Amino acid sequence: MGKITLKSVRKSFGEVDVIPGIDLSIEDGEFVVFVGPSGCGKSTLLRLIAGLEDASGGSIAIDGVEATDLPPAKRRLAMVFQSYALYPHMSVRKNIAFPLKMAGMSAEDQAKKVDNAARILNLTSYLDRRPGQLSGGQRQRVAIGRAIVREPAAFLFDEPLSNLDAALRVSMRQEISELHQTLKTTMIYVTHDQVEAMTMADKIVVLNAGRIEQVGSPMELYRSPANTFVAGFIGSPKMNLIDGAEAAKHGAQTIGIRPEHIDIHDSGPWQGMVVLSEHLGSDTFLKVNATGLGTLTVRASGEVALRHGDTIRFAPQPGKMMRFGSDGKALA
Amino acid sequence: MATQSSRAAARLMVAPSVIVLFIWMIVPLAMTIWFSFRIYRLLSPDRTGWAGFRNYAWFFNSPDFWLAISNTLLLVGGVLVITIVLGVLIALLIDQPVWGQGPLRILVISPFFVMPPVAASIWENLFLHPQNGLFAAAAIGVGAQPILFMESYPMASVILIVSWEWLPFATLILLTALQSLSSEQLEAAEMDGASAVNRFRYIVLPHLIRAITVVVLIQTIFLLGIFGEIFTTTQGGPGSASTTLPYMIYKQAVIAKDIGRAAAGGIIAVILANIVAYFLMRSMGKHLDA
Ligand SMILES: Nc1ncnc2c1ncn2[C@@H]1O[C@H](COP(=O)(O)OP(=O)(O)O)[C@@H](O)[C@H]1O
Ligand SMILES: [Mg+2]
């Protein structure tokens, strides 16, 4: 079981209010991703849940049990750190067995659990190596192994993939998702990468400056962002946000249209000059300097023979445009 | 970089300093070995010639010799144990974020800057003295008999003084090692359910082992030659209770004015140092590899 409830949790370092107050409920078995720009307080929030930081106010409950004042070891949570935080002088086997040893488990039971974890994570042939002799991906797996042997109520991941190269990041992302399918344990995953958030999460929590901007499934956030921050943060490439006269025409302060929701055709109402085209094969992303709108990103599927300097006309797909008021909030 | 030619060039480049250092070492050593086999007494300069192994034999037959060897080892071992145990504890303490951390650290380091005879004098006269010392005053204050440190516990007193001098060095090295321990490792251990004691035992201590090795090796080199503290305080006494090998050599060279014997003692000290170094490297050398 791993249901975690935060009630107006606050954290300040001295004068600085890093987290002014957060209410959040995480259901048992959910894969929750905290996403937000660097420095927005994601790690701090995770460390508050882990008990590595003391909350300045509010309460944290794990499975309905008040946990705000419990030490980290008593919260039955396991954490995977960005730096892996493996014990460099211990073999992989001893690293994974460490929490079991601390719990006073017998040597045979320890060995059984370690072997099992090593099998799940493909680490069996590395058990007698030191962390220093492993690659980044293998170290990451050891850190995960050390977390899973404890059978925690929930896993906490703090940007676990940010030290890996792009290809490894994609495969580890899938491995962690599969691990979640197998274990069905609550996982809280912190990242600044919205792609990781979109691909892995059951529920995304978008944070900005210590505040929750929106909570929802990846598709909810994609289809109906609550405000311009979420609109600009979720989705790749970013949503085009247009201010000024064009927005006023639609009765809004700001209008938003995603690059994939713009069609190029000669009778379109908008016009602009292509300043850059990025050919990915499957898609072509065009940066267009549009008259009266500013620079927009437009996606054309497949290979498009447009180059710098070409002038195009284009139109937003009907019903895909989003409208935001002067406070940045989405208008109905 | 490590091609054949670059390696040859590197050897050529460092050759001058290696040669100078080698001469720097080998000339005094060769002269000491030479004198150790000669009859060379400043009080009877007309008697010269080869002494054979008689200078060495004198040491091995001297009633104080084995006591001096064991005192030397006791001094080295005692100071090492005290400085490392206390050094780790003090380093743990001053690594905590406290008010006035900077000045506190300088205070902890400062005994290292007091020169040995001064430190020994301060300890002998202001702390350990049976009439004027602080400890005597404390003993009288609680109605006890003042302890005659230099007379009753000469080796322990010397070890205490030398430990006080070397504690800052150990603390400083251990503190820097402690500061290089990643806090995430400690936090991971904390989440893994390790108590403070277990975190120290399984995370902090293994992390410190390399620094401890460095402290042991460096201090051993200096402690084997400790002389000034004994000279200023116990003079090797009472009797020869606190005589060490360096002090015995001093007595032969300066008091008996027998250079041959002193040189033989010096060579014995070199051999002792090498034996100690061999065992140290065998037991701790592996911790120095990365
Ligand atoms: N121990 C600390 N003392 C003071 N300020 C801190 C501390 N830890 C984090 N902060 C501040 O809190 C803010 C949020 O940090 P963090 O949670 O690490 O952000 P994120 O993980 O989202 O990048 C940052 O502005 C950071 O400077
Ligand atoms: Mg962070």
Side-chain angles (χ1 to χ4, degrees), chain A residues 47 77 83 87-89 101 150, chain B residues 184 187 189 191-192 202 206:
Chain A
R47 291 165 59 81
L77 305 174
S83 68
Y87 312 128
H89 49 274
K101 183 171 171 175
R150 291 176 52 198
Chain B
E184 289 201 341
E187 287 172 348
M191 294 208 63
D192 282 346
Y202 292 106

Side-chain angles (χ1 to χ4, degrees), chain A residues 65-146:
Chain A
V65 181
E66 174 64 31
T68 320
D69 297 319
L70 283 184
K74 295 266 164 62
R75 299 192 183 192
R76 296 183 301 116
L77 305 174
M79 182 141 164
V80 175
F81 293 82
Q82 182 174 352
S83 68
Y84 318 134
L86 300 178
Y87 312 128
H89 49 274
M90 296 183 200
S91 64
V92 168
R93 186 190 305 280
K94 287 201 171 140
N95 261 284
I96 299 179
F98 189 73
L100 306 177
K101 183 171 171 175
M102 289 302 108
M105 186 180 278
S106 76
E108 297 136 55
D109 291 350
Q110 282 184 35
K112 223 180 287 167
K113 291 215 166 195
V114 171
D115 288 340
N116 194 32
R119 203 171 31 73
I120 296 176
L121 295 164
N122 284 325
L123 284 170
T124 308
S125 44
Y126 304 105
L127 278 176
D128 293 312
R129 292 206 197 168
R130 295 277 178 97
Q133 299 163 313
L134 301 178
S135 71
Q138 290 164 341
R139 283 181 213 186
Q140 189 60 71
R141 273 202 274 269
V142 176
I144 294 173
R146 191 173 65 185

Side-chain angles (χ1 to χ4, degrees), chain A residues 249-262:
Chain A
K249 253 193 258 173
H250 295 85
Q253 174 73 24
T254 308
I255 52 171
I257 182 80
R258 294 194 185 276
E260 53 271 39
H261 295 153
I262 298 178

Side-chain angles (χ1 to χ4, degrees), chain A residues 11-14 16-19 36-47 53 82 158-159 190-192 207:
Chain A
K11 178 68 189 175
S12 42
F13 291 108
V16 192
D17 265 340
V18 174
I19 293 176
S38 200
C40 71
K42 309 178 295 287
S43 297
T44 307
L45 185 57
L46 197 70
R47 291 165 59 81
E53 302 279 0
Q82 182 174 352
D158 192 353
E159 310 216 14
V190 162
T191 178
H192 63 268
L207 291 167

Side-chain angles (χ1 to χ4, degrees), chain A residues 241-252:
Chain A
L241 294 171
I242 303 163
D243 290 339
E246 186 65 30
K249 253 193 258 173
H250 295 85

